[in-house]
Amino acid sequence: MQTELSKKLGVEHALFGFTPFPAVAAALTRAGGFGVLGAVRYAAGDELKRDLDWMQDHTDGLPYGLDVVMPAKKVEGVTEEQVEAMIPEQHRSYAQEVLERYGVPPLPEGEEGGWRITGWMESVARSQLDVAFDYPVKLLANALGSPPPDVVERAHRHGMLVAALAGSAHHARRHKEAGIDVVVAQGYEAGGHTGEIGSMVLTPEIVEAVDPLPVLAAGGIGTGSQVAAAFALGAQGAWLGSVWLTTTEAELHSRRLTEKLLAAGSGDTVRSRALTGKPARQLRTAWTDAWDDPEGPGPLPMPLQGLLVAEANSRIQHHETEELLGTPVGQIVGSMNSERSVQAVVDDLTRGFERAVRRLDRVAGNG
Ligand SMILES: Cc1cc2nc3c(=O)[nH]c(=O)nc-3n(C[C@H](O)[C@H](O)[C@H](O)COP(=O)(O)O)c2cc1C
């Protein structure tokens, strides 16, 4: 599974993995792929530094990347308190009402509610970058838009490649104009923030739109034959996010959530604004249903919704409330039916890829 891009990055397989867990990113890199650590959950540079130190110690000098979130629409010049004050009372009481309906107790005393606005603020992403530039990060990826020109320039000066996610050919062209080196074409099936175009249509469209830039196909990839399909569509690699969630190295902190993922079918996700205010694919739960309910107040725009539901999500996770427990995940969840190590996932992907290539060879009359 070698492409020009994988050779340039010095990895054995053109398999890229986004993950919020350092143990998964490091294991993928050690397995011959390219682990990309998601930084959005790090509120402060110190925590990121601790985990990048850990990555350094556990990747045997092999390459890895970092993914930051710098939204094209910036959240700047306002404090968290000011944003908090913009949340209508109606939405606050609706969130409480749903939690009460399912009997979700408060967090234990002293425990802080999780994921706040800060991870979406450019100043926070920049402080993360100040830390990251001290490490031999080989690829810097950005979700939700092209990173600002000075960040692209700084990354290039540090010898990093810059990647950006795109859900349409139009977005991909903008990345190219912004001097990005690698475009991740992320289809509708994908977990997390996603657009409306399926990978089968999107990948070749973006390959053509940004030629000769390398494109990674993302969304709906979890088997070797899907990796082969990505290459057939012109991608120089596959970028996987969901499949790592049920690996033994993942730290989901909830056994019930792992079990829900293992049991879920490909139709059990929904593209909903319930989590952040922007459409993001996630497990469909009574919580997403409540926010998508036309009788309810509906979700607020980003970043208000993320702030509104931060504490609720922590409570749901802490108490493992079955009906409400969810996570971003893509349609490929239907194929995630057993817990495997990252190495075992990579072995299955490479073996499945070889089988798919042999099948194609036979179809082409070569085998
Ligand atoms: C739990 C989860 C969190 C994600 N968070 C981010 C993120 O912070 N930044 C980002 O660039 N992509 C994020 N993504 C999207 C992934 O980078 C990737 O493009 C996507 O998962 C690929 O599709 P798949 O889920 O079908 O594998 C996330 C995906 C998942 C499943």
Side-chain angles (χ1 to χ4, degrees), residues 18 67 142-144 164-169 171-172 175 183-203 206 215-221 239-242 271 279-281 328-330:
F18 167 91
D67 179 285
N142 189 48
L144 304 183
L165 275 69
S168 71
H171 285 155
H175 291 331
V183 176
V184 181
Q186 196 195 238
Y188 176 77
E189 307 91 318
H193 291 120
T194 177
E196 294 183 328
I197 308 169
S199 295
M200 190 76 151
V201 171
L202 184 70
T203 309
I206 290 190
V215 172
L216 299 175
I221 302 179
W239 173 282
L240 292 73
S242 294
R271 191 170 162 270
R281 186 170 298 285
V329 73

